[in-house]
Amino acid sequence: MGNESMARAERAAMLCAALAWSAAAAAESTPDIEALIPVESLTASPPEPDSSLEPARKPPIEEIVVTANKREEVLRDIPASIAVLDGESLEQSGAQGIDDFLKLVPGVNIIPNEPGAVKVTIRGISSELGTNSTTGTLFGNVSFNDAYFPFVALDPNPFDMHNVEVLKGPQGTLYGASALNGAVRYVPQSPELDAFEVKYFAQYTQVSEGHGAPIYGAAANLPLGDSLAVRLVGFDRRSPGYIDDTGRGLEDINRIRQRGARVMAQWRPTDALQVSLLYLRQDTGFDDAPFADNRDGRLSRDNTPGPSPRDSYYDMGNLALAYEFDRFTFHAETALVRKRFEEAPELSRLATGEADTSTISSEIFFDSDTWSQELRLSSAADMDHPWRWVAGAFWQEQPIDSGFDIFTTPGVSTLTPIAIPDLSAYGGGLPAGNAFITPGGQAVLGHQRADITVRELALFADVTRDLGDDWQASLGLRGYRTTSGGVTRASGALYGVVENVNDGEVAERGLTPKASLRWQPSDRFQSYVLVSRGFRVGGIQPTASSLSTTAPRSFESDTIWNYEGGVRTQWLDDQLYADLTLFHADWDQPQLAQRDPSNPNPVATYYDNVGGAKSDGAELALQWRTPVDGLSVSVSAAYTRTVTTEAFTTGAGVETTPGTPWPYAPRWQTATVIAYERPLADGWGIHGSLTHTLISEAYTTLANDVPVFDYELVDLQLGVTDGAAIWPSLTLTLSNLTDERGINQSAFTGPANDVVYVRPRAVTLHLGGRF
């Protein structure tokens, strides 16, 4: 880590230490503890101040109930690391996507993929672009992960969300192959049977060195009789651009148009039976790719003679049934998730030699349809019994159809559909000039198709038992069988063959256990230890590289063992929470994308297993309701060291030794939020917050030659609220106040100077209300 990164990390560590020292000095007594370990709530609103003439003792920090383990539990009673982002706070902040709020969870960072799929990394267990995600994304209990080609990621607008749960560490016992080392789980507001409500928002964002754009949204809860309610949510978002294409004389080319809707219904004909129906859809269109061609802070590029538009959409249908018996509840969930993706990236900047005079373009498509069915039983939520449990069966089938074409037409920049020509005219060989020429004069450089199906079948159980008054033990286990296979085909000059076919199937089975032990001798002190395992499916090579490469025809599944433990503490009459998590993870046979050195195709990669990696670290979380009415402070910090454990030679021939830093794994991350809320006359109130986040340097590959991250962001928010909900609330947000030019990504293909910057300074005016 560089001197600047060290200085930033030291400042953040000093701030954490100062707050912890001041809290301890004010405490009446200090228990003898060696470590602290957390479950955080990062955006919980401060309490209403006591307005009585003789103030009573402040109530404790609000208790949060989550369903991360598929049953209702108090957040701080779960022996695992879970961060919860409150939906109301996300609405008030004007957050519109995952990059607006995951920065508040140290130990978690995002990687904006060039094709449009945002990847989430937890505790340094990351995947390179083009490889399968190591972090699951779920809407309720439904997984949105694709086992191959993660072009489309779940990133719903957080408007009308109940909360967002971030589960750190392997979640294989309950969520299977979709959550190798954690999950981000969106929990929407459910329909209410006895309340009519309409809420709305409108906001406008102006970006420095860019333009402005509006966003609108509304939600309605509609009771239909005594046993049925419907909840409707919709939004229309225009995201302002700020990247200029100086070569084509265009400004703000990276504009985004996004629309989405959710329809939810809940039917409760009896006290025991509940039927829920959910449908959601989100469409996103990108005018052009968001990268710049420099690392000196200029929000521009001049190396693309044509645009790189892309469009994606996903929709989901979920039917859930729950029937409550005396001692347990039966659940059945059936879901279908569909994804579609199209992109036409301009690739001329990748050309060398004579090809510089041509326009090189490509067309990418991706389709997946994922069916899933889960049946489970869980102990009754209100049952006073030392045993609590959940058990069930899960089935999923995911057909994936994906491919791309790369072609060039000298002097022509328009993108037109093409087809691979009949190669019989060439006698099965390559034509002159080492390219396939279509009758229309197009040179087909590469053609690839993949038709792959992934299946998972599993039985799982998770049981918790109280052991006396102070101890609690939990044990979970998942037995699974996965199959992954199909066929991939490649042809064209860049592959050096007329057609290369790779087909087959990889079948695997195994057990994914989890065990924890929790000790709580008092209401203000508890500790736990946890051991858990996660896995991710293997399969045949999703890309068909040239025959001369050493790429294996298939790659193995990878697994991870996680060990963590520590304590959670409460101080100052429950006005201060201080938690710390210590963890160690062993990653066996991690999957990594490799370049094909024998293939001139600049986007030719294959998957391989790198012997091993490990992750060690600590996470600190402080949440303090200060003696000043309405003033609260939260500080979170994470230190993570993720490195290889075995020697490995990359596909590009780079020798790596044990201890090589893992890609996209920053050492330090911090988040500090100072919030203030004060009531005014006639039900009005004001609120404000100052947020500082830091992320240290990381690299994009094992070669450690292309740096990313290493920046700080400061956000300021001020607002006024009508507590009577007669008038709309108004919030002004200044994000990236210092106009930092942080780099979130170095382009997956192309020069190392093709980078994606964090959004520059932006001013957002948010208006929202309800009736």
Side-chain angles (χ1 to χ4, degrees), residues 146 357 477 631 664 702 768 770:
D146 289 306
T357 61
L477 185 66
L631 180 64
Y664 298 103
L702 284 177
R770 65 182 68 203

Side-chain angles (χ1 to χ4, degrees), residues 242-578:
Y242 48 85
I243 298 295
D244 297 337
D245 190 322
T246 57
R248 291 186 290 153
L250 301 176
E251 296 182 346
D252 307 332
I253 60 174
N254 60 317
R255 291 181 295 267
I256 299 173
R257 177 71 181 273
Q258 188 177 77
R259 294 175 176 176
R262 297 197 298 270
V263 180
M264 293 167 285
Q266 184 179 124
W267 180 45
R268 190 140 197 171
T270 69
D271 290 340
L273 176 62
Q274 177 177 303
V275 180
S276 301
L277 181 65
L278 165 66
Y279 174 78
L280 68 86
R281 180 182 176 107
Q282 186 160 299
D283 298 85
T284 306
F286 300 79
D287 287 355
D288 210 331
F291 68 87
D293 64 356
N294 63 88
R295 285 178 169 264
D296 55 15
R298 288 182 291 108
L299 301 177
S300 64
R301 67 171 185 259
D302 64 2
N303 60 354
T304 50
S308 296
R310 58 184 181 266
D311 294 282
S312 67
Y313 91 84
Y314 57 75
D315 59 359
M316 175 190 117
N318 184 38
L319 175 64
L321 181 148
Y323 192 90
E324 298 178 5
F325 294 89
D326 290 339
R327 291 183 171 272
F328 63 88
T329 302
F330 169 75
H331 302 266
E333 293 195 51
T334 304
L336 170 63
V337 178
R338 299 188 303 175
K339 299 180 182 179
R340 302 292 184 266
F341 174 87
E342 293 180 354
E343 184 184 19
E346 210 289 323
L347 303 177
S348 298
R349 70 190 191 283
L350 308 182
T352 58
E354 296 180 359
D356 285 337
T357 61
S358 302
T359 296
I360 301 178
S361 300
S362 65
E363 295 177 345
I364 303 172
F365 76 91
F366 171 88
D367 295 333
S368 73
D369 296 284
T370 305
W371 283 96
S372 64
Q373 175 70 62
E374 182 170 290
L375 305 175
R376 67 181 185 275
L377 301 174
S378 61
S379 55
D382 57 353
M383 186 173 64
D384 185 13
H385 196 277
W387 291 96
R388 293 173 298 282
W389 51 270
V390 60
F394 174 81
W395 167 85
Q396 178 176 282
E397 181 172 288
Q398 185 177 85
I400 295 173
D401 183 20
S402 181
F404 64 79
D405 295 298
I406 301 178
F407 59 96
T408 179
T409 303
V412 178
S413 61
T414 57
L415 304 181
T416 57
I418 64 169
I420 290 295
D422 182 2
L423 302 180
S424 60
Y426 303 118
L430 296 176
N434 198 30
F436 300 109
I437 308 300
T438 68
Q442 294 172 317
V444 182
L445 303 179
H447 169 84
Q448 183 167 298
R449 294 294 182 268
D451 184 3
I452 296 173
T453 299
V454 181
R455 297 180 178 90
E456 180 182 350
L457 180 64
L459 299 174
F460 63 88
D462 189 87
V463 180
T464 299
R465 165 74 183 186
D466 293 334
L467 306 174
D469 295 332
D470 301 337
W471 294 87
Q472 181 187 92
S474 297
L475 182 64
L477 185 66
R478 186 184 191 95
Y480 64 88
R481 183 180 187 274
T482 62
T483 59
S484 175
V487 59
T488 60
R489 302 175 184 274
S491 58
L494 290 175
Y495 291 99
V497 293
V498 172
E499 185 174 63
N500 178 18
V501 178
N502 184 27
D503 59 2
E505 183 178 84
V506 175
E508 298 174 291
R509 64 182 65 200
L511 298 174
T512 303
K514 180 180 73 172
S516 66
L517 184 64
R518 176 171 164 258
W519 178 49
Q520 186 174 9
S522 73
D523 292 339
R524 298 185 179 183
F525 176 85
Q526 58 179 299
S527 63
Y528 76 91
V529 291
L530 169 68
V531 179
S532 56
R533 183 180 185 266
F535 72 101
R536 186 170 49 163
V537 298
I540 67 169
Q541 282 297 343
T543 60
S545 297
S546 63
L547 293 175
S548 60
T549 186
T550 58
R553 288 295 184 175
S554 63
F555 58 97
E556 301 177 20
S557 63
D558 51 354
T559 59
I560 191 167
W561 280 96
N562 176 68
Y563 310 88
E564 66 179 75
V567 301
R568 304 186 186 120
T569 63
Q570 299 169 207
W571 308 77
L572 306 177
D573 288 334
D574 296 334
Q575 303 303 302
L576 171 68
Y577 288 172

Side-chain angles (χ1 to χ4, degrees), residues 204-213 240-244 251-254 299 741 760-761:
Y204 188 87
T205 299
Q206 177 67 51
V207 177
S208 175
E209 299 189 38
H211 73 288
Y242 48 85
I243 298 295
D244 297 337
E251 296 182 346
D252 307 332
I253 60 174
N254 60 317
L299 301 177
R741 289 292 184 269
R761 181 170 51 240

Side-chain angles (χ1 to χ4, degrees), residues 219-239:
N221 190 86
L222 308 174
L224 304 175
D226 297 331
S227 60
L228 177 65
V230 175
R231 195 173 189 96
L232 308 174
V233 182
F235 72 93
D236 188 344
R237 173 192 180 191
R238 292 173 175 82
S239 182

